[in-house]
């Protein structure tokens, strides 16, 4: 799992655009922590890495917690997309994990929209 996260972060680093990052920061009224990666790149990376996700839900949630704890905007985007892909596996007891995501990691309207309409919805 640590290899997955390391490789993901290395690939994200190759897509950073400093000018885009500055524009991104200026766009939001809230404080955001972006790397500066365009959504088209995020969509491709999200799709390419999903085949490497842990099968066990416990391990999958652990990976998501590691990603979310870094608070990078783009990584949170990816984590929520992966969570949505596995939505059919979620059961009532998983709601506490979703609630934790909501309380700790939803800090701007973009994440709120994405999380509320996809994994939480």
């Amino acid at each position: 799992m640590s290899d997955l996260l390391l490789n993901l972060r290395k690939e994200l680093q190759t897509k950073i655009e400093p000018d885009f990052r500055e524009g991104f920061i200026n766009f939001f009224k809230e404080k955001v922590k972006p790397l500066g990666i365009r959504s088209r790149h995020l969509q491709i990376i999200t799709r390419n890495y999903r085949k490497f996700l842990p099968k066990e839900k416990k391990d999958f949630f652990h990976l998501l917690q590691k990603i979310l704890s870094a608070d990078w905007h783009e990584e949170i985007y990816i984590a929520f997309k992966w969570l949505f892909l596995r939505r059919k596996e979620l059961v009532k007891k998983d709601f506490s994990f979703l609630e934790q995501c909501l309380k700790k990691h939803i800090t701007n309207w973009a994440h709120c929209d994405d999380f509320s309409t996809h994994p939480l919805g």
Side-chain angles (χ1 to χ4, degrees), residues 1 4 7 11 17 25 40 44-45 50 56 60 67-68 73 100 103 108 111 114 116:
M1 180 172 21
L4 168 64
N7 291 334
E11 185 160 356
E17 297 178 37
I25 291 169
R40 69 176 179 263
I44 292 167
I45 291 169
R50 76 183 214 198
E56 291 292 321
F60 177 64
I67 291 171
L68 294 169
H73 182 87
Q100 177 187 10
K103 288 179 179 178
N108 62 64
H111 287 154
D114 192 36
S116 298

Side-chain angles (χ1 to χ4, degrees), residues 40-66:
R40 69 176 179 263
H41 298 302
L42 290 175
Q43 292 168 0
I44 292 167
I45 291 169
T46 301
R47 191 172 42 248
N48 289 345
Y49 277 81
R50 76 183 214 198
K51 62 185 163 222
F52 302 113
L53 294 174
K55 302 291 184 218
E56 291 292 321
K57 192 187 311 182
K58 177 183 72 142
D59 297 333
F60 177 64
F61 282 176
H62 181 68
L63 172 66
L64 293 184
Q65 287 173 329
K66 286 179 112 175

Side-chain angles (χ1 to χ4, degrees), residues 47-103:
R47 191 172 42 248
N48 289 345
Y49 277 81
R50 76 183 214 198
K51 62 185 163 222
F52 302 113
L53 294 174
K55 302 291 184 218
E56 291 292 321
K57 192 187 311 182
K58 177 183 72 142
D59 297 333
F60 177 64
F61 282 176
H62 181 68
L63 172 66
L64 293 184
Q65 287 173 329
K66 286 179 112 175
I67 291 171
L68 294 169
S69 67
D71 281 333
W72 289 108
H73 182 87
E74 292 86 348
E75 289 186 10
I76 291 172
Y77 169 92
I78 291 170
F80 289 165
K81 293 297 182 192
W82 285 342
L83 185 57
F84 180 67
L85 291 172
R86 302 217 10 208
R87 68 192 176 278
K88 292 182 180 177
E89 298 174 35
L90 299 176
V91 295
K92 189 174 183 176
K93 70 178 184 173
D94 297 328
F95 190 77
S96 62
F97 176 77
L98 298 176
E99 187 176 37
Q100 177 187 10
C101 289
L102 184 60
K103 288 179 179 178

Side-chain angles (χ1 to χ4, degrees), residues 10-37:
K10 280 182 184 178
E11 185 160 356
L12 289 171
Q13 291 293 315
T14 69
K15 303 299 182 194
I16 292 174
E17 297 178 37
D19 291 340
F20 182 73
R21 180 180 189 276
E22 290 305 312
F24 196 94
I25 291 169
N26 293 330
F27 179 76
F28 281 89
K29 290 183 173 77
E30 308 91 358
K31 183 180 176 191
V32 291
K33 185 180 166 187
L35 292 166
I37 302 170

